[in-house]
Amino acid sequence: MAKTANNKTGKDTGKSAKGGTIALNRRARHDYHLEDRFEAGLALQGWELKSIRAGRANITEAYANIRNGEIHLLGAQFTPLISASTHVVAEERRARKLLLHRSEIDTLIGRVQRDGYTVVPTALYWKGNKVKIEVVLAKGKQTHDKRETNKERDWAREKQRVMRRHNKNA
């Protein structure tokens, strides 16, 4: 993939507008049991797209909500640029409509209302020249579940250390 020059000097900044991750929600893995993944488009305004290109997107506190048979992203923060148009009143955390197929919307609505799931965004990324968001059906973890996950991760790390030492000595 070719890298693009994104600054006035023409030097390569390493960020490409054609592909790659914009923002991740790493906290979601810690707080939820993640199950089914869906790829959705986002209904954005022009200033929001400019903000995303500048790397000013944050989805760590975001979640999806159901309104009138549609799914909206709430809590995502797109900080407006200073150079953006001044006549637009920018709402950093406004509700943004998620663009999904009707069958996917029905699946999400059914699982949320019937089975007690929540819809959490995990990644915001470029697909071609469009912004996509990965949303996941998730169930909240209890405190003891989080402790168990930490114990398993620590034990796996310790096993790797022991195996590395054992293989080094052999």
Side-chain angles (χ1 to χ4, degrees), residues 36-41 64 66 69-71 98-112 114 119 125 127 132-137:
D36 297 335
R37 299 177 186 281
F38 297 89
E39 180 181 69
I66 300 166
E70 296 177 340
I71 299 180
L98 293 181
L99 307 173
L100 292 157
H101 291 285
R102 175 50 54 188
S103 60
E104 293 173 331
I105 292 172
D106 293 341
T107 301
L108 288 171
I109 290 173
R111 298 282 297 271
V112 166
R114 189 176 54 248
V119 181
Y125 55 93
K127 188 169 186 181
K132 298 290 183 176
I133 189 162
E134 180 184 62
V135 292
V136 179
L137 270 172

Short mmCIF file of all heavy atoms in Angstrom, two decimals, residues 36-41 64 66 69-71 98-112 114 119 125 127 132-137:
data_model
loop_
_atom_site.label_atom_id
_atom_site.label_comp_id
_atom_site.label_asym_id
_atom_site.label_seq_id
_atom_site.Cartn_x
_atom_site.Cartn_y
_atom_site.Cartn_z
N ASP A 36 -20.72 -11.59 18.62
CA ASP A 36 -20.88 -11.40 17.18
C ASP A 36 -20.40 -10.01 16.75
O ASP A 36 -20.70 -9.01 17.39
CB ASP A 36 -22.35 -11.56 16.77
CG ASP A 36 -22.86 -12.96 17.04
OD1 ASP A 36 -22.03 -13.89 17.06
OD2 ASP A 36 -24.07 -13.13 17.21
N ARG A 37 -19.68 -9.97 15.62
CA ARG A 37 -19.13 -8.72 15.10
C ARG A 37 -19.89 -8.30 13.84
O ARG A 37 -20.25 -9.12 13.02
CB ARG A 37 -17.66 -8.88 14.75
CG ARG A 37 -16.82 -9.25 15.94
CD ARG A 37 -15.37 -9.49 15.57
NE ARG A 37 -14.61 -9.96 16.70
CZ ARG A 37 -14.15 -9.20 17.68
NH1 ARG A 37 -14.39 -7.92 17.68
NH2 ARG A 37 -13.47 -9.71 18.69
N PHE A 38 -20.10 -6.99 13.72
CA PHE A 38 -20.78 -6.42 12.56
C PHE A 38 -19.98 -5.22 12.07
O PHE A 38 -19.44 -4.46 12.87
CB PHE A 38 -22.20 -5.95 12.92
CG PHE A 38 -23.11 -7.06 13.36
CD1 PHE A 38 -23.19 -7.42 14.69
CD2 PHE A 38 -23.89 -7.73 12.44
CE1 PHE A 38 -24.03 -8.43 15.10
CE2 PHE A 38 -24.73 -8.74 12.84
CZ PHE A 38 -24.80 -9.11 14.17
N GLU A 39 -19.93 -5.05 10.77
CA GLU A 39 -19.28 -3.88 10.18
C GLU A 39 -20.36 -2.91 9.75
O GLU A 39 -21.28 -3.27 9.02
CB GLU A 39 -18.44 -4.29 8.97
CG GLU A 39 -17.74 -3.14 8.31
CD GLU A 39 -16.95 -3.58 7.10
OE1 GLU A 39 -17.57 -3.96 6.09
OE2 GLU A 39 -15.71 -3.54 7.17
N ALA A 40 -20.24 -1.67 10.19
CA ALA A 40 -21.26 -0.67 9.88
C ALA A 40 -20.60 0.59 9.33
O ALA A 40 -19.45 0.90 9.65
CB ALA A 40 -22.04 -0.31 11.15
N GLY A 41 -21.35 1.30 8.52
CA GLY A 41 -20.92 2.62 8.08
C GLY A 41 -21.39 3.65 9.10
O GLY A 41 -22.19 3.35 9.98
N ALA A 64 -23.71 1.83 21.50
CA ALA A 64 -24.79 1.99 20.52
C ALA A 64 -26.13 1.91 21.23
O ALA A 64 -26.30 1.16 22.20
CB ALA A 64 -24.70 0.92 19.44
N ILE A 66 -30.60 2.01 20.56
CA ILE A 66 -31.66 1.77 19.59
C ILE A 66 -32.71 2.87 19.73
O ILE A 66 -33.22 3.11 20.83
CB ILE A 66 -32.30 0.39 19.81
CG1 ILE A 66 -31.24 -0.69 19.66
CG2 ILE A 66 -33.45 0.17 18.86
CD1 ILE A 66 -31.65 -2.03 20.18
N GLY A 69 -36.22 2.00 15.70
CA GLY A 69 -35.83 0.97 14.75
C GLY A 69 -34.50 1.22 14.06
O GLY A 69 -34.17 0.56 13.09
N GLU A 70 -33.73 2.20 14.53
CA GLU A 70 -32.41 2.50 13.99
C GLU A 70 -31.40 2.41 15.12
O GLU A 70 -31.75 2.52 16.29
CB GLU A 70 -32.37 3.91 13.40
CG GLU A 70 -33.28 4.11 12.22
CD GLU A 70 -33.27 5.56 11.72
OE1 GLU A 70 -32.88 6.45 12.50
OE2 GLU A 70 -33.65 5.77 10.57
N ILE A 71 -30.14 2.21 14.76
CA ILE A 71 -29.09 2.12 15.76
C ILE A 71 -28.20 3.34 15.63
O ILE A 71 -27.75 3.69 14.54
CB ILE A 71 -28.30 0.81 15.59
CG1 ILE A 71 -29.24 -0.37 15.77
CG2 ILE A 71 -27.15 0.74 16.59
CD1 ILE A 71 -28.63 -1.71 15.65
N LEU A 98 -25.74 4.59 12.66
CA LEU A 98 -24.97 3.49 12.11
C LEU A 98 -25.69 2.95 10.89
O LEU A 98 -26.91 2.73 10.92
CB LEU A 98 -24.79 2.37 13.14
CG LEU A 98 -23.94 2.70 14.36
CD1 LEU A 98 -23.83 1.49 15.27
CD2 LEU A 98 -22.56 3.17 13.96
N LEU A 99 -24.96 2.74 9.82
CA LEU A 99 -25.54 2.28 8.56
C LEU A 99 -25.34 0.78 8.44
O LEU A 99 -24.23 0.31 8.18
CB LEU A 99 -24.90 3.03 7.40
CG LEU A 99 -24.92 4.56 7.52
CD1 LEU A 99 -24.11 5.19 6.40
CD2 LEU A 99 -26.34 5.07 7.52
N LEU A 100 -26.42 0.03 8.64
CA LEU A 100 -26.41 -1.43 8.58
C LEU A 100 -27.56 -1.91 7.71
O LEU A 100 -28.52 -1.17 7.47
CB LEU A 100 -26.59 -2.02 9.99
CG LEU A 100 -25.45 -1.83 10.98
CD1 LEU A 100 -25.97 -1.94 12.39
CD2 LEU A 100 -24.39 -2.87 10.73
N HIS A 101 -27.47 -3.17 7.27
CA HIS A 101 -28.59 -3.77 6.55
C HIS A 101 -29.73 -4.03 7.53
O HIS A 101 -29.51 -4.22 8.72
CB HIS A 101 -28.16 -5.08 5.90
CG HIS A 101 -27.20 -4.90 4.77
ND1 HIS A 101 -27.59 -4.44 3.55
CD2 HIS A 101 -25.87 -5.11 4.70
CE1 HIS A 101 -26.54 -4.38 2.75
NE2 HIS A 101 -25.47 -4.76 3.43
N ARG A 102 -30.95 -4.03 7.03
CA ARG A 102 -32.12 -4.23 7.88
C ARG A 102 -32.04 -5.53 8.66
O ARG A 102 -32.38 -5.59 9.84
CB ARG A 102 -33.39 -4.17 7.02
CG ARG A 102 -34.70 -4.46 7.73
CD ARG A 102 -34.96 -3.72 9.02
NE ARG A 102 -34.87 -2.29 8.94
CZ ARG A 102 -34.93 -1.49 10.01
NH1 ARG A 102 -35.07 -1.98 11.21
NH2 ARG A 102 -34.83 -0.20 9.87
N SER A 103 -31.57 -6.61 8.03
CA SER A 103 -31.49 -7.90 8.73
C SER A 103 -30.49 -7.82 9.90
O SER A 103 -30.73 -8.40 10.97
CB SER A 103 -31.07 -9.00 7.77
OG SER A 103 -29.81 -8.73 7.20
N GLU A 104 -29.39 -7.08 9.72
CA GLU A 104 -28.43 -6.91 10.80
C GLU A 104 -29.01 -6.07 11.93
O GLU A 104 -28.82 -6.38 13.11
CB GLU A 104 -27.15 -6.26 10.27
CG GLU A 104 -26.38 -7.13 9.31
CD GLU A 104 -25.21 -6.42 8.65
OE1 GLU A 104 -25.28 -5.19 8.47
OE2 GLU A 104 -24.23 -7.11 8.32
N ILE A 105 -29.74 -5.03 11.58
CA ILE A 105 -30.40 -4.19 12.59
C ILE A 105 -31.39 -5.02 13.39
O ILE A 105 -31.43 -4.94 14.62
CB ILE A 105 -31.08 -2.98 11.93
CG1 ILE A 105 -30.04 -2.03 11.35
CG2 ILE A 105 -31.97 -2.24 12.93
CD1 ILE A 105 -30.62 -0.90 10.52
N ASP A 106 -32.19 -5.83 12.69
CA ASP A 106 -33.17 -6.67 13.38
C ASP A 106 -32.50 -7.66 14.31
O ASP A 106 -32.98 -7.91 15.42
CB ASP A 106 -34.05 -7.39 12.36
CG ASP A 106 -34.95 -6.44 11.58
OD1 ASP A 106 -35.17 -5.30 12.06
OD2 ASP A 106 -35.42 -6.83 10.49
N THR A 107 -31.38 -8.24 13.88
CA THR A 107 -30.64 -9.18 14.72
C THR A 107 -30.14 -8.47 15.98
O THR A 107 -30.30 -8.99 17.09
CB THR A 107 -29.43 -9.76 13.95
OG1 THR A 107 -29.89 -10.43 12.79
CG2 THR A 107 -28.63 -10.72 14.81
N LEU A 108 -29.54 -7.31 15.79
CA LEU A 108 -29.02 -6.56 16.95
C LEU A 108 -30.13 -6.16 17.91
O LEU A 108 -30.00 -6.33 19.12
CB LEU A 108 -28.26 -5.32 16.47
CG LEU A 108 -26.91 -5.58 15.81
CD1 LEU A 108 -26.38 -4.29 15.21
CD2 LEU A 108 -25.92 -6.13 16.81
N ILE A 109 -31.22 -5.64 17.37
CA ILE A 109 -32.34 -5.21 18.22
C ILE A 109 -32.90 -6.40 19.00
O ILE A 109 -33.15 -6.31 20.20
CB ILE A 109 -33.45 -4.52 17.37
CG1 ILE A 109 -32.95 -3.17 16.87
CG2 ILE A 109 -34.73 -4.35 18.18
CD1 ILE A 109 -33.88 -2.49 15.90
N GLY A 110 -33.09 -7.52 18.33
CA GLY A 110 -33.61 -8.72 18.99
C GLY A 110 -32.72 -9.20 20.11
O GLY A 110 -33.19 -9.51 21.21
N ARG A 111 -31.42 -9.28 19.86
CA ARG A 111 -30.50 -9.78 20.88
C ARG A 111 -30.38 -8.81 22.05
O ARG A 111 -30.28 -9.24 23.20
CB ARG A 111 -29.12 -10.02 20.27
CG ARG A 111 -29.05 -11.06 19.16
CD ARG A 111 -29.07 -12.50 19.62
NE ARG A 111 -27.98 -12.91 20.43
CZ ARG A 111 -26.83 -13.41 20.00
NH1 ARG A 111 -26.61 -13.51 18.71
NH2 ARG A 111 -25.91 -13.80 20.84
N VAL A 112 -30.43 -7.52 21.77
CA VAL A 112 -30.32 -6.53 22.85
C VAL A 112 -31.56 -6.57 23.74
O VAL A 112 -31.47 -6.60 24.96
CB VAL A 112 -30.09 -5.11 22.27
CG1 VAL A 112 -30.30 -4.05 23.33
CG2 VAL A 112 -28.69 -5.00 21.70
N ARG A 114 -34.05 -8.96 23.88
CA ARG A 114 -34.45 -10.27 24.38
C ARG A 114 -33.38 -10.90 25.28
O ARG A 114 -33.69 -11.44 26.33
CB ARG A 114 -34.75 -11.18 23.19
CG ARG A 114 -35.37 -12.50 23.54
CD ARG A 114 -35.74 -13.32 22.32
NE ARG A 114 -34.60 -13.50 21.41
CZ ARG A 114 -34.49 -12.96 20.20
NH1 ARG A 114 -35.45 -12.19 19.73
NH2 ARG A 114 -33.44 -13.18 19.44
N VAL A 119 -24.48 -3.28 22.56
CA VAL A 119 -23.73 -3.13 21.33
C VAL A 119 -22.60 -2.14 21.60
O VAL A 119 -22.84 -1.00 21.97
CB VAL A 119 -24.62 -2.63 20.17
CG1 VAL A 119 -23.82 -2.50 18.89
CG2 VAL A 119 -25.79 -3.58 19.96
N TYR A 125 -12.16 2.37 11.42
CA TYR A 125 -11.10 2.19 10.43
C TYR A 125 -11.55 2.64 9.05
O TYR A 125 -12.73 2.87 8.81
CB TYR A 125 -10.67 0.71 10.39
CG TYR A 125 -11.80 -0.26 10.14
CD1 TYR A 125 -12.10 -0.68 8.86
CD2 TYR A 125 -12.56 -0.76 11.19
CE1 TYR A 125 -13.14 -1.56 8.62
CE2 TYR A 125 -13.58 -1.65 10.97
CZ TYR A 125 -13.87 -2.04 9.69
OH TYR A 125 -14.91 -2.91 9.45
N LYS A 127 -11.99 1.85 5.09
CA LYS A 127 -12.16 0.76 4.12
C LYS A 127 -12.35 1.45 2.78
O LYS A 127 -13.42 2.01 2.50
CB LYS A 127 -13.37 -0.10 4.47
CG LYS A 127 -13.46 -1.34 3.61
CD LYS A 127 -14.49 -2.28 4.15
CE LYS A 127 -14.46 -3.58 3.37
NZ LYS A 127 -15.49 -4.49 3.86
N LYS A 132 -15.49 3.05 8.40
CA LYS A 132 -16.31 1.95 8.89
C LYS A 132 -16.07 1.80 10.39
O LYS A 132 -15.01 2.16 10.91
CB LYS A 132 -15.95 0.63 8.20
CG LYS A 132 -16.18 0.63 6.71
CD LYS A 132 -17.65 0.66 6.39
CE LYS A 132 -17.85 0.59 4.88
NZ LYS A 132 -19.25 0.52 4.53
N ILE A 133 -17.05 1.23 11.07
CA ILE A 133 -16.92 0.97 12.49
C ILE A 133 -17.32 -0.48 12.74
O ILE A 133 -18.30 -0.96 12.17
CB ILE A 133 -17.75 1.96 13.33
CG1 ILE A 133 -17.43 1.81 14.82
CG2 ILE A 133 -19.23 1.82 13.07
CD1 ILE A 133 -17.84 2.99 15.64
N GLU A 134 -16.54 -1.16 13.56
CA GLU A 134 -16.87 -2.53 13.94
C GLU A 134 -17.62 -2.48 15.26
O GLU A 134 -17.10 -1.95 16.25
CB GLU A 134 -15.59 -3.36 14.10
CG GLU A 134 -15.87 -4.79 14.48
CD GLU A 134 -14.61 -5.57 14.73
OE1 GLU A 134 -13.87 -5.20 15.66
OE2 GLU A 134 -14.36 -6.54 14.00
N VAL A 135 -18.85 -2.99 15.25
CA VAL A 135 -19.64 -3.06 16.47
C VAL A 135 -19.81 -4.53 16.84
O VAL A 135 -19.87 -5.39 15.98
CB VAL A 135 -21.02 -2.36 16.33
CG1 VAL A 135 -20.86 -0.88 16.20
CG2 VAL A 135 -21.81 -2.91 15.20
N VAL A 136 -19.86 -4.79 18.14
CA VAL A 136 -19.88 -6.15 18.64
C VAL A 136 -21.02 -6.31 19.63
O VAL A 136 -21.26 -5.43 20.47
CB VAL A 136 -18.54 -6.48 19.35
CG1 VAL A 136 -18.54 -7.88 19.90
CG2 VAL A 136 -17.38 -6.29 18.40
N LEU A 137 -21.73 -7.44 19.54
CA LEU A 137 -22.70 -7.79 20.57
C LEU A 137 -21.90 -8.27 21.77
O LEU A 137 -21.02 -9.14 21.64
CB LEU A 137 -23.60 -8.93 20.09
CG LEU A 137 -24.86 -8.51 19.38
CD1 LEU A 137 -25.56 -9.72 18.80
CD2 LEU A 137 -25.79 -7.77 20.31
#
